[in-house]
Amino acid sequence: MKAVQWWLLRQQHELRSGLNDKPQQSTASSRLRQSHESQVAKASPADAFAAAKKVILKGAKLDMSALAAELGIGRATLYRWTGDREQLIKEVLAIFLQDTFAWIDRRLDKEKIEGPERFARAVEDMIRALTKSKPVYWLLRNEPDVALRILTGGGVNSLQTVTMEKLVGIIEQEVEKGNYRPRLEPRLLAYTTVRLVDSFVYGDIIAEVPLDFAAASRVIRSLL
């Protein structure tokens, strides 16, 4: 009889212990899950772009796995937010180019440069900015095939499109002000100029021709 009572008491004790343990285990699991979800919730597509921009603009290699780990998200989430690696690099460089043109505009406004000279100076300053750019230099030296696809490819928000629209805008603005009568239709002049810039800036990779800034400037000015 005593053995039976002892066994019953033991079973009751184990049952109570088990009931007490389950909420603790559940709570610990819940806390881990909430912590992970909170970490993920702190990251956003804007954070991913900002982190990538920081890496690219300092002239370093963009590692998508490292970027995802830094943000506390999976690679699938990162790619869903930003597109693939080349797309992300292209978007960062497009923003860089837009910022560069904004700086050029402020400089030319301050110096009161107008007419065809404004167009020529904008292109020359753009060439200088590209050749001195850390991310462009890194890409051209370390991933030339990727660099040429990004720098000379078309499409929405591509560097070619950003440059074309900016140059067309400069021409049309100066024509409207009565400061310039171009010999070529604005879009044709802009397109030709962009292709000339490609040839001179990226020529050492495309055809092993060293950059000749003076020659580039002479050719561009001859079109005006």
Side-chain angles (χ1 to χ4, degrees):
M1 185 67 177
K2 289 183 178 179
V4 172
Q5 290 177 339
W6 178 84
W7 181 84
L8 289 172
L9 288 171
R10 183 177 177 181
Q11 292 299 309
Q12 291 174 355
H13 174 73
E14 290 179 354
L15 180 60
R16 284 196 298 270
S17 297
L19 289 172
N20 289 333
D21 287 344
K22 286 181 181 178
Q24 293 175 358
Q25 293 172 356
S26 176
T27 300
S29 176
S30 176
R31 286 175 179 170
L32 284 173
R33 185 168 61 254
Q34 290 173 0
S35 174
H36 176 71
E37 290 173 353
S38 176
Q39 185 180 19
V40 173
K42 289 180 181 178
S44 69
D47 294 325
F49 185 84
K53 182 179 179 181
K54 182 178 179 181
V55 173
I56 293 168
L57 292 188
K58 72 179 181 182
K61 181 176 182 178
L62 178 64
D63 185 321
M64 296 295 275
S65 295
L67 182 61
E70 177 186 339
L71 296 167
I73 60 176
R75 279 171 57 90
T77 299
L78 179 61
Y79 277 82
R80 188 170 67 251
W81 285 354
T82 66
D84 64 23
R85 179 173 179 267
E86 287 190 24
Q87 176 65 28
L88 182 53
I89 294 173
K90 183 178 76 171
E91 291 188 8
V92 169
L93 291 181
I95 295 296
F96 163 76
L97 190 56
Q98 290 170 351
D99 291 343
T100 298
F101 276 126
W103 172 80
I104 291 171
D105 278 341
R106 290 193 296 271
R107 178 179 174 179
L108 297 180
D109 286 342
K110 185 176 181 180
E111 296 180 23
K112 295 181 171 53
I113 306 298
E114 297 179 326
E117 182 65 17
R118 187 179 184 98
F119 181 87
R121 286 279 299 275
V123 175
E124 291 167 353
D125 286 349
M126 178 188 68
I127 293 175
R128 290 191 187 93
L130 287 174
T131 55
K132 293 178 180 179
S133 163
K134 289 181 179 180
V136 171
Y137 181 86
W138 190 94
L139 278 174
L140 289 171
R141 296 304 169 207
N142 296 281
E143 299 184 32
D145 291 342
V146 173
L148 291 179
R149 284 197 298 272
I150 291 174
L151 298 171
T152 65
V156 179
N157 292 329
S158 68
L159 274 71
Q160 297 282 300
T161 300
V162 170
T163 305
M164 273 282 296
E165 294 307 317
K166 180 59 185 178
L167 296 184
V168 169
I170 292 174
I171 297 168
E172 291 180 342
Q173 172 184 289
E174 295 306 308
V175 168
E176 185 177 345
K177 289 180 178 180
N179 298 326
Y180 184 28
R181 295 180 63 185
R183 290 183 290 168
L184 298 174
E185 187 268 333
R187 297 202 73 83
L188 177 58
L189 176 56
Y191 177 80
T192 304
T193 301
V194 168
R195 288 308 178 192
L196 283 170
V197 170
D198 289 346
S199 299
F200 281 100
V201 175
Y202 316 127
D204 57 339
I205 287 180
I206 297 172
E208 298 184 355
V209 178
L211 172 65
D212 186 337
F213 180 81
S217 179
R218 286 199 306 275
V219 172
I220 290 166
R221 287 175 178 273
S222 73
L223 298 172
L224 306 182

